[in-house]
């Protein structure tokens, strides 16, 4: 603004400029951004299905950001960190009023609270699909348009085939066979009440914990004592067989007995 102008005109010019900036800030604050689900195929199969990584893209074009959660933790950037050359499928979910600054803060907070577990929330961790469900809720686009979590799709597919064959009991036998020749100290566990089709969840590899030693399995289960999970049944499989215990405490006690016996 020229200092040669009368003071009253300088004041008017400055007020007009401040007013324009205020309007621009308000427009930015109230602007919406498009939210898109990205389904990114990965190497490998999960039962009859190819493994799919989920990510959320907010915005369009060069200003968009891809938000995701994978084995290295939360990631934010122009593109996914899990691209293996397969064609990505995109699904528009809606609009959000959240800014990238707000979303980034939420994502970082999520990463500080949750450890990554490929099996997802069933074993106490979170996976990419759990992350997308939580983020979509935060963004205000809802979760009704999201696909079913892949673990449940596998259960439905595998469960249907098993039921049709009349061979529900095969699962436990196959799991026990998988442990044949394994170290006597190795064990896997899952929630006995998990799944959408009774009697088939144990056939889904994503429902099971990683194969580990008994002490580590005991420590994993002890983390659920005092939580809403402590009264859930626990299915165990190890080299000498498989069984189900009615509570977390009962499963821990059984593993301690096995450990002392080996």
């Amino acid at each position: 603004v020229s200092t040669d102008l009368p003071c009253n005109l300088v004041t008017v010019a400055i007020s007009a400029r401040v007013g324009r900036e205020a309007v621009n800030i308000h427009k930015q604050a109230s602007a919406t951004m498009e939210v898109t689900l990205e389904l990114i195929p990965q190497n490998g199969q999960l039962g009859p299905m190819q493994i799919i990584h989920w990510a959320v893209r907010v915005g369009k074009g060069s200003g968009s950001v891809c938000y995701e959660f994978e084995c290295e933790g939360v990631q934010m950037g122009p593109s996914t960190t899990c691209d293996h050359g397969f064609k990505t499928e995109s699904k528009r979910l809606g609009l959000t009023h959240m800014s990238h600054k707000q979303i980034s803060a939420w994502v970082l907070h999520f990463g500080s609270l949750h450890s990554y577990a490929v099996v997802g929330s069933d074993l106490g961790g979170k996976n990419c699909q759990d992350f997308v469900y939580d983020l979509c809720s935060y963004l205000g686009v809802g979760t009704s348009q999201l696909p079913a979590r892949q673990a449940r799709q596998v259960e439905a597919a595998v469960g249907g085939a098993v039921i049709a064959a009349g061979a529900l009991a095969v699962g436990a036998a196959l799991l026990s066979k998988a442990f044949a020749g394994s170290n006597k100290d190795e064990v896997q566990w899952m929630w006995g009440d998990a799944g959408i089709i009774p009697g088939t969840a144990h056939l889904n590899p994503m429902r099971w914990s990683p194969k580990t030693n008994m002490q580590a399995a005991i420590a994993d289960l002890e983390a659920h004592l005092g939580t809403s999970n402590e009264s859930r049944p626990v299915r165990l499989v190890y080299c000498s067989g498989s069984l189900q215990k009615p509570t977390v405490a009962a499963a821990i006690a059984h593993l301690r007995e096995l450990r002392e016996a080996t």
Side-chain angles (χ1 to χ4, degrees):
V1 178
S2 172
T3 56
D4 294 333
L5 293 173
C7 289
N8 61 334
L9 292 180
V10 171
T11 301
V12 170
I14 291 174
S15 298
R17 184 174 65 186
V18 171
R20 287 195 301 271
E21 290 176 352
V23 169
N24 289 335
I25 291 171
H26 175 72
K27 285 181 178 178
Q28 291 173 7
S30 61
T32 57
M33 291 189 291
E34 192 165 297
V35 179
T36 304
L37 170 68
E38 294 189 347
L39 302 173
I40 307 151
Q42 304 294 291
N43 293 315
Q45 297 287 127
L46 179 61
M49 301 179 183
Q50 185 173 15
I51 296 172
I52 303 294
H53 174 69
W54 291 16
V56 171
R57 181 171 298 280
V58 179
K60 297 184 73 174
S62 60
S64 68
V65 177
C66 178
Y67 298 96
E68 59 190 338
F69 186 47
E70 39 99 326
C71 60
E72 299 295 328
V74 292
Q75 305 291 335
M76 298 174 279
S79 59
T80 178
T81 60
C82 298
D83 185 357
H84 293 280
F86 299 102
K87 183 180 179 181
T88 295
E89 179 184 346
S90 297
K91 178 180 176 64
R92 186 180 182 278
L93 300 176
L95 299 172
T96 183
H97 290 276
M98 299 295 179
S99 67
H100 283 304
K101 182 177 180 180
Q102 292 172 311
I103 300 169
S104 297
W106 183 93
V107 168
L108 291 172
H109 183 61
F110 179 97
S112 70
L113 293 178
H114 302 291
S115 58
Y116 181 84
V118 68
V119 293
S121 54
D122 279 330
L123 294 175
K126 294 274 189 176
N127 62 17
C128 63
Q129 297 174 11
D130 298 315
F131 169 80
V132 167
Y133 266 81
D134 290 357
L135 178 55
C136 285
S137 295
Y138 172 73
L139 295 176
V141 296
T143 59
S144 61
Q145 298 183 76
L146 295 175
R149 286 177 172 86
Q150 199 166 16
R152 298 180 183 182
Q153 294 182 51
V154 170
E155 275 166 28
V158 173
V162 171
I163 291 171
L168 282 173
V170 171
L174 290 175
L175 286 168
S176 297
K177 184 177 180 181
F179 270 82
S182 296
N183 189 310
K184 290 184 178 181
D185 190 45
E186 287 183 332
V187 63
Q188 282 183 275
W189 67 273
M190 64 167 282
W191 297 118
D193 58 359
I196 57 174
I197 299 178
T200 65
H202 63 285
L203 300 175
N204 183 351
M206 289 187 72
R207 292 290 184 186
W208 290 92
S209 72
K211 189 182 293 187
T212 187
N213 61 57
M214 290 189 185
Q215 184 56 47
I218 289 170
D220 287 344
L221 289 168
E222 285 178 335
H224 293 283
L225 293 174
T227 73
S228 59
N229 286 327
E230 69 177 354
S231 60
R232 296 179 69 182
V234 178
R235 184 188 289 263
L236 302 168
V237 63
Y238 40 88
C239 65
S240 59
S242 65
L243 52 75
Q244 182 164 301
K245 290 294 182 179
T247 64
V248 169
I252 291 171
H254 182 72
L255 288 176
R256 284 176 176 159
E257 291 176 3
L258 289 175
R259 186 184 60 185
E260 292 172 2
T262 56

